[in-house]
């Protein structure tokens, strides 16, 4: 059964009342960063709500949904919070360290290396946690594991994967691999389900599929990933390493999505959930890119207005990220709510999809 939804404008849910937005401005609340901006009439400047500058008086604030709206109203961009650029790109330590990681993904980074590049390690930790939900050292470890996983998927031995991933010992590599994927390399051979890594601009994702359908698509740093993989292993008798056709298809569709050319996902899905949960997921797939819904709205569309919390649980149980777009569900007041991939990713996805709604 499907539950059709009429499109709702993004603006209706992403801009709550001025009182809510001013409170968020005073608190430098990251939940609205990139989704609401403040123009200060006394200075003629517009800022992110997280701007570190001294906060203006309430009477001098005008709130907008986009930088374009701020510019059209005659405001100029703040030189402290850089509202015209992605926040991470405006941070010199993030730009420098991510470039260094791309140049040498197998490098074993330490805090001394970060300091050697002229950055304070504690500042770097805070910046990366704020923007990506993980520290730079965690990000570097994930990238090294990705190199090892690629070696194993290509038929290489554990010792080869260990060296490719830059680990000093097989035991350390196996332990890191098990923490990420919920199983040691030796346990991931000859299974019906196969897992592989898909890189995206907002972080690596783990995909699991059989020859016909995609069973899981999650960000590699999602805390629930090991438990989700454990459930799939129990169901299928194991998970191997490989790249069946559905993962290849999904990688191509994700590439088009992040390039801004298509928000269509046609990869066949295998959905594991109750009838109610699958009904919620079906509604999520009908929310057009560039629009959002609240839990309450979805519950009412289902004829179950009292079931907003159950809708939220079904939303959180989604294990096929982006394709089942749980990131398009926000709070009734327009604030970003919990997202397993991290609120910063939810914000980026909503910003990206706004372009699809204008196309």
């Amino acid at each position: 059964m499907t539950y059709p939804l009429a499109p709702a404008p993004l603006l209706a849910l992403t801009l709550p009342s001025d009182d809510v937005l001013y409170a968020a401005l005073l608190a430098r609340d990251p939940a609205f960063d990139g989704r609401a901006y403040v123009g200060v009439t006394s200075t003629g400047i517009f800022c992110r709500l997280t701007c570190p500058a001294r906060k203006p008086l309430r009477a001098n604030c005008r709130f907008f949904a986009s930088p374009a709206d701020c510019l059209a109203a005659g405001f100029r961009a703040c030189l402290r919070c850089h509202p015209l650029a992605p926040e991470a790109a405006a941070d010199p330590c993030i730009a420098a360290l991510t470039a260094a990681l791309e140049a040498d993904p197998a490098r074993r980074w330490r805090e001394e290396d970060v300091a050697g590049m002229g950055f304070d390690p504690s500042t770097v930790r805070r910046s990366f946690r704020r923007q990506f939900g993980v520290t730079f050292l965690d990000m570097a470890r994930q990238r090294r594991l990705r190199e090892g996983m690629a070696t194993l998927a290509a038929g290489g031995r554990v010792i080869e994967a260990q060296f490719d991933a830059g680990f000093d010992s097989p035991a350390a590599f196996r332990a890191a691999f098990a923490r990420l994927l919920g199983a040691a390399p030796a346990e991931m051979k000859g299974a019906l389900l196969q897992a592989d890594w898909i890189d995206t601009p907002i972080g690596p994702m783990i995909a699991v599929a059989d020859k016909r359908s995609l069973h899981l698509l999650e960000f590699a740093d999602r805390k629930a990933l090991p438990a989700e993989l454990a459930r799939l292993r129990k169901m299928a008798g194991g998970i191997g390493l490989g790249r069946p056709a559905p993962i290849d298809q999904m990688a191509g569709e994700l590439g088009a999505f992040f390039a801004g050319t298509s928000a269509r996902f046609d990869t066949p899905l295998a959905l594991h959930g109750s009838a109610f949960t699958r009904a919620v997921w079906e509604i999520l797939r009908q929310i057009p890119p560039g629009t959002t819904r609240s839990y309450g709205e979805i519950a009412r569309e289902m004829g179950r207005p009292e079931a907003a919390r159950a809708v939220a649980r079904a939303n959180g149980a989604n294990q096929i990220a982006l394709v089942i777009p749980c990131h398009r569900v926000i709070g009734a007041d327009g604030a970003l709510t919990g997202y397993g991939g991290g609120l910063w990713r939810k914000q980026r996805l909503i910003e990206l999809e706004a372009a699809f709604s204008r196309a």
Side-chain angles (χ1 to χ4, degrees), residues 74 313 330:
R313 286 193 295 272
I330 63 177

Side-chain angles (χ1 to χ4, degrees), residues 66-203:
S66 71
D69 292 340
C70 297
L71 294 169
F75 293 94
R76 63 186 186 277
C78 174
L79 296 179
R80 293 193 66 180
C81 63
H82 303 282
L84 292 177
E87 189 174 2
D91 189 320
C93 77
I94 290 179
L97 288 169
T98 52
L101 182 59
E102 285 300 312
D104 188 4
R107 179 176 177 178
R108 286 172 284 179
W109 285 86
R110 298 177 175 84
E111 287 198 340
E112 306 90 85
D113 302 320
V114 173
M117 290 184 64
F119 301 114
D120 174 58
S122 61
T123 300
V124 168
R125 280 196 300 272
R126 288 194 298 271
S127 294
F128 272 79
R129 282 193 183 279
R130 182 173 64 251
Q131 294 305 321
F132 306 114
V134 296
T135 68
F136 171 69
L137 297 184
D138 288 338
M139 182 181 290
R141 290 188 194 100
Q142 288 179 358
R143 186 57 186 267
R144 287 158 50 204
L145 280 173
R146 187 257 184 273
E147 301 302 310
M149 185 173 173
T151 300
L152 291 172
R157 297 177 300 163
V158 171
I159 189 66
E160 295 169 339
Q162 168 207 328
F163 286 124
D164 286 343
F167 282 83
D168 290 325
S169 70
F173 174 65
R174 289 189 183 97
F177 195 98
R179 282 195 299 272
L180 176 64
L181 296 181
E187 299 174 29
M188 303 187 74
K189 296 180 179 179
L192 175 66
L193 296 180
Q194 294 187 311
D196 202 0
W197 191 288
I198 300 176
D199 286 314
T200 82
I202 58 173

